[in-house]
Amino acid sequence: MSVRPDGEWMLIHQCASCSELSTNRIAGDDNPLALIRLALRPLTDPKHAGRALLTL
């Protein structure tokens, strides 16, 4: 997850084949609970968050 300066949330995807990172804006019909779970995931697995930050 990432948040733009205007407050809009973005999903960061990593391709399972080539490991390329890309971003997509969230949609109005996305599940808010699922988005919060994704946003909080790095807090539950610090190794995963550090790995993602190093890739950026």
Side-chain angles (χ1 to χ4, degrees):
M1 299 292 297
S2 178
V3 180
R4 293 177 33 176
D6 64 0
E8 182 177 33
W9 284 28
M10 306 285 288
L11 295 173
I12 301 173
H13 300 269
Q14 184 172 26
C15 177
S17 299
C18 69
S19 299
E20 181 179 343
L21 294 176
S22 62
T23 59
N24 286 347
R25 294 172 34 197
I26 64 167
D29 62 345
D30 285 342
N31 182 327
L33 181 58
L35 293 172
I36 295 296
R37 285 181 177 166
L38 285 171
L40 294 176
R41 184 175 289 173
L43 297 175
T44 61
D45 184 6
K47 282 196 265 183
H48 178 74
R51 198 171 47 234
L53 288 174
L54 291 174
T55 309
L56 294 172

